[in-house]
Amino acid sequence: MHNLYKVGFGGGCHWCTEAVFMFLRGVTKVAQGFISPKENIEDFSEAVIVHFNPNIIALEDLVAIHLDTHRSTQNHSMRNKYRSGIYFFEKKKSLF
């Protein structure tokens, strides 16, 4: 489990976004919800957190899949909530 990483993707309905990633080889878990940057928590995106093994699937491939599977320029009433975003998480150091 030490070689697992996570990345967040916002860009549309989290159910649709979840379906894109959940069956990819190397992805171990997809959690849906809302993500916001630390600087401004009111700028949240409906998003997913993708847990993955970088030895099986590269972060670059996940980003490319994300960018190819949603339209960030589409004008619709939920534009603010469905904003396009890629969110990273800092890996915490273990005390053990």
Side-chain angles (χ1 to χ4, degrees):
M1 290 291 197
H2 296 291
N3 57 347
L4 293 180
Y5 291 82
K6 64 183 178 178
V7 61
F9 294 116
C13 166
H14 51 62
W15 289 323
C16 299
T17 308
E18 176 186 43
V20 168
F21 294 100
M22 62 189 299
F23 295 108
L24 294 175
R25 188 171 174 267
V27 172
T28 60
K29 178 181 174 185
V30 182
Q32 54 177 272
F34 300 92
I35 302 176
S36 65
K38 285 190 334 186
E39 297 81 29
N40 190 356
I41 61 171
E42 294 176 11
D43 284 339
F44 66 89
S45 294
E46 191 164 318
V48 295
I49 298 174
V50 177
H51 300 256
F52 68 100
N53 182 333
N55 295 321
I56 299 173
I57 188 164
L59 175 60
E60 293 83 1
D61 292 334
L62 293 171
V63 170
I65 290 166
H66 171 64
L67 294 175
D68 285 342
T69 56
H70 78 283
R71 291 209 166 123
S72 61
T73 59
Q74 189 173 6
N75 190 14
H76 53 77
S77 62
M78 302 298 278
R79 177 106 172 107
N80 289 338
K81 181 177 154 183
Y82 288 165
R83 76 170 42 87
S84 182
I86 299 173
Y87 301 90
F88 70 93
F89 299 88
E90 294 180 22
K91 195 159 182 127
K92 297 196 188 276
K93 294 182 182 180
S94 175
L95 298 176
F96 303 98

